[in-house]
Amino acid sequence: MEAAIGKKLQPSEFQLSSICQLSFPFSEVPNSPVVARFGVYSGVPGIQFVSSAGGEVMTLDLRKAQLYKLGPVASICIAEDSVTSKENSYSKGVTLQFRKEEESKGFHSAFEAWKEEASSQGQHLSNGVLSTSKNKFDHKIEASSAKMYFHYYGQLLHQQNMLQDYVRTGTYYAAVIENRADFTGRVVVDVGAGSGILSLFAAQAGAKHVYAVEASEMAEYARKLIAGNPSLSQRITVVKGKVEEVELPEKADILISEPMGTLLVNERMLESYVIARDRFLLPNGKMFPTLGRIHMAPFSDEFLFIEIANKPVVDAFDPRLLVAPPVCHIIDFTKSKEEDLYEINIPLKYTATMGTRVHGLACWFDVLFDGSTVQRWLTTAPGSPTTHWYQIRCVLSQPLYVMAGQEITGNLHMVAHNAQSYTMYLTLSTKMWGPGLEQGGIIQSSSCKLDLKEPYYRMSQPQAYTLAQDQQPNQLLQPQDIQIQPQDLEDELMMQQTQQAGNELQ
Ligand SMILES: C[S@@+](CC[C@H](N)C(=O)[O-])C[C@H]1O[C@@H](n2cnc3c(N)ncnc32)[C@H](O)[C@@H]1O
């Protein structure tokens, strides 16, 4: 916890012999033993009760909480629920059973101190002073962007869109089930669990316990969906909150996550994935996926250029539009530092395979699940079965003219911004051709500055390649010339796996 509020106040953690959640109708749910932690959760000062048997039991908002003594070692803590609307504002609470009277006294004085600090911090905020209780995510991401982002993922419709991408979901399923040895008897953290589908896969592969961490309201749905699978749900705990701020009762042997956005890095969730690694993963623990690669190649597409220029465009394109084999940039999730992802600089160098007009840079990504039993790739390459990521093409403002065999050089520089995306600076240049080649002078260069957050969605099917694109068939780059991993899942198999996964959610 980075909060100043937390640094001033010690101790912040108490062992209780048991607690009972108060619920209506009155059926008390006992949990024992339990740790009570004072901290800052989702930017709000609170007390979190964590069962040693696994996971969060309840978090109470300290600003709204009241604590009463029922006896020397028994107390009751009640807080108005901040989530419900004013008209439907119900309280939640717990009865607390301490082991000794001194521990009860310690807890009560810590409660008073934290509450005082919380309310004084509230005053600071209302006076416009920046909160110091922010976690890493809140520090770097604009609040309005985060709000929209988690609102989007809080809707079942958008989770469904990902679930129904059977290349994606089927590959995750295959990667987990074929690598059972990495999950059986292991503690797993699902980073950004969404509907909880990957947690279910991990539990199905024999995980000892899965902590499904999800920051959006989808966490509530995930609880319900997981509860619908009684044989697996006992081994899954949904923890609502950001991976940057939640506390888990134990370290993980393996992380599983789907943090990939357009061009791999959009949404900046890879940073949360590596933060989760540093916070929760045991040394030498595994990460599923393990690494990602961004592939980039110049393309020629007259039709697209007529339609739009100087813009990132998301669609599926025919790989024969590529003018040279791709360059690749690797991001190793097990080693990358969070800061490495703030700025990414990729030098580009190609030899054109045909004489044509280059309109920009085509990009896609793949990720590797480096399992102990099987290595599996999830690819979004052009020509492979299309995923909901499609591919992305950065269209220049001016085309470049190239001859077959001519060198194309350039640079893709991406700078992260606080709206969970990147500003992209692309330059492509062609070197002198013919008699002046020895001098190596650059004769032509085209640059553009694009916002990865605002692409043009052009969701057409891969366009049938026509000779009207002004190229000769024998000059065209064949798909086999592109260095991509084969997408070797059979569609039929993936369909079955996805259906199976969907059935388990019911
Ligand atoms: C691409 S979705 C994947 C959902 C699910 N794992 C799946 O594969 O279907 C990413 C999820 O991570 C959640 N998420 C993103 N950043 C997060 C963070 N910092 N902490 C917790 N959850 C986060 C989002 O709300 C979203 O539900």
Side-chain angles (χ1 to χ4, degrees):
M1 183 177 46
E2 292 181 292
I5 180 173
K7 283 183 188 142
K8 275 193 194 174
L9 302 163
Q10 297 292 330
S12 63
E13 199 170 288
F14 293 85
Q15 297 288 337
L16 308 179
S17 62
S18 70
I19 65 163
C20 268
Q21 284 172 249
L22 303 176
S23 60
F24 184 82
F26 295 113
S27 63
E28 295 184 351
V29 191
N31 292 85
S32 63
V34 163
V35 174
R37 288 197 190 111
F38 291 90
V40 180
Y41 306 100
S42 302
V44 173
I47 323 173
Q48 191 169 67
F49 298 97
V50 182
S51 152
S52 54
E56 175 199 349
V57 176
M58 182 183 281
T59 303
L60 298 179
D61 183 340
L62 253 180
R63 299 163 309 176
K64 298 179 178 179
Q66 298 294 335
L67 182 66
Y68 304 96
K69 270 198 174 160
L70 301 176
V73 288
S75 298
I76 184 165
C77 187
I78 300 183
E80 194 186 302
D81 191 348
S82 54
V83 175
T84 49
S85 65
K86 247 205 158 118
E87 307 86 73
N88 294 313
S89 176
Y90 304 119
S91 296
K92 48 183 189 175
V94 280
T95 59
L96 314 172
Q97 182 75 47
F98 296 96
R99 297 179 300 187
K100 297 185 203 145
E101 192 169 356
E102 299 81 73
E103 288 177 356
S104 162
K105 283 184 182 159
F107 182 86
H108 274 258
S109 52
F111 181 91
E112 290 313 322
W114 274 81
K115 201 165 163 59
E116 202 182 310
E117 183 65 18
S119 54
S120 73
Q121 188 163 83
Q123 284 162 15
H124 284 303
L125 284 172
S126 61
N127 288 338
V129 175
L130 270 182
S131 168
T132 50
S133 68
K134 286 179 171 181
N135 57 53
K136 270 188 167 177
F137 183 100
D138 298 334
H139 265 297
K140 66 188 179 191
I141 302 300
E142 209 177 81
S144 59
S145 170
K147 195 175 169 188
M148 275 177 66
Y149 178 76
F150 290 119
H151 177 72
Y152 175 92
Y153 279 122
Q155 296 171 53
L156 274 172
L157 176 75
H158 300 299
Q159 297 287 340
Q160 186 187 6
N161 180 40
M162 294 182 287
L163 290 172
Q164 288 178 338
D165 176 345
Y166 60 81
V167 175
R168 183 202 87 115
T169 311
T171 306
Y172 268 88
Y173 182 79
V176 172
I177 295 300
E178 289 170 358
N179 288 296
R180 269 176 194 280
D182 294 323
F183 290 87
T184 306
R186 304 294 160 94
V187 175
V188 182
V189 173
D190 181 352
V191 179
S195 63
I197 187 76
L198 305 182
S199 298
L200 286 166
F201 291 168
Q204 214 179 347
K208 181 168 90 177
H209 205 88
V210 186
Y211 296 95
V213 184
E214 171 57 43
S216 77
E217 290 304 309
M218 190 48 54
E220 306 298 341
Y221 284 110
R223 279 198 180 111
K224 288 185 194 155
L225 293 165
I226 288 167
N229 289 264
S231 61
L232 303 176
S233 62
Q234 289 146 353
R235 288 182 283 122
I236 304 175
T237 304
V238 176
V239 182
K240 188 175 177 187
K242 300 190 187 92
V243 290
E244 290 83 352
E245 69 191 356
V246 299
E247 301 292 340
L248 300 179
E250 56 188 325
K251 293 266 182 187
D253 300 293
I254 180 162
L255 299 187
I256 188 161
S257 186
E258 197 273 78
M260 298 91 77
T262 306
L263 193 59
L264 186 62
V265 294
N266 192 30
E267 301 178 29
R268 296 187 63 182
M269 197 184 153
L270 289 182
E271 291 163 48
S272 300
Y273 191 33
V274 302
I275 289 173
R277 176 200 67 196
D278 295 342
R279 296 195 68 211
F280 306 130
L281 192 62
L282 284 165
N284 301 321
K286 279 200 163 285
M287 292 178 80
F288 262 45
T290 319
L291 62 80
R293 305 186 303 182
I294 301 175
H295 303 266
M296 296 142 287
F299 71 91
S300 178
D301 191 340
E302 297 293 345
F303 297 138
L304 174 64
F305 190 69
I306 289 166
E307 200 175 322
I308 199 152
N310 209 16
K311 192 91 184 146
V313 174
V314 172
D315 72 349
F317 64 86
D318 190 315
R320 285 173 293 181
L321 297 177
L322 298 177
V323 167
V327 157
C328 122
H329 175 80
I330 298 176
I331 301 176
D332 185 341
F333 306 140
T334 65
K335 297 200 176 77
S336 284
K337 294 200 211 89
E338 181 211 353
E339 299 77 36
D340 294 344
L341 298 162
Y342 290 180
E343 214 172 320
I344 300 169
N345 195 45
I346 309 172
L348 304 169
K349 193 171 175 187
Y350 305 98
T351 305
T353 54
M354 66 189 85
T356 189
R357 277 160 38 112
V358 170
H359 296 107
L361 192 72
C363 311
W364 62 94
F365 69 86
D366 51 25
V367 291
L368 171 68
F369 300 90
D370 191 11
S372 307
T373 314
V374 173
Q375 283 199 334
R376 192 167 274 283
W377 289 89
L378 168 57
T379 182
T380 66
S384 292
T386 307
T387 68
H388 77 287
W389 289 285
Y390 300 87
Q391 290 94 38
I392 184 157
R393 285 184 286 171
C394 303
V395 187
L396 291 166
S397 47
Q398 293 295 328
L400 291 175
Y401 291 79
V402 294
M403 303 286 285
Q406 191 168 5
E407 190 174 89
I408 304 168
T409 55
N411 192 263
L412 179 64
H413 186 206
M414 298 195 281
V415 183
H417 62 59
N418 61 7
Q420 292 168 278
S421 191
Y422 284 80
T423 307
M424 304 166 76
Y425 301 89
L426 170 66
T427 302
L428 288 179
S429 310
T430 50
K431 281 197 171 174
M432 190 177 282
W433 187 247
L437 185 63
E438 277 71 50
Q439 281 80 55
I442 287 169
I443 55 165
Q444 209 190 355
S445 189
S446 186
S447 299
C448 58
K449 176 185 169 191
L450 313 168
D451 187 351
L452 183 58
K453 179 132 184 166
E454 306 280 342
Y456 168 54
Y457 289 97
R458 183 179 182 251
M459 300 311 188
S460 52
Q461 287 302 306
Q463 301 210 332
Y465 186 84
T466 65
L467 293 181
Q469 297 246 349
D470 198 21
Q471 290 158 2
Q472 296 305 307
N474 59 2
Q475 294 175 314
L476 298 176
L477 190 74
Q478 295 305 307
Q480 62 267 26
D481 297 332
I482 305 166
Q483 303 287 304
I484 56 175
Q485 291 294 327
Q487 172 43 275
D488 55 0
L489 277 186
E490 289 169 26
D491 285 4
E492 186 55 38
L493 176 66
M494 285 187 292
M495 196 64 127
Q496 282 170 13
Q497 288 164 344
T498 309
Q499 271 164 3
Q500 194 177 340
N503 291 343
E504 286 189 3
L505 283 173
Q506 285 162 14

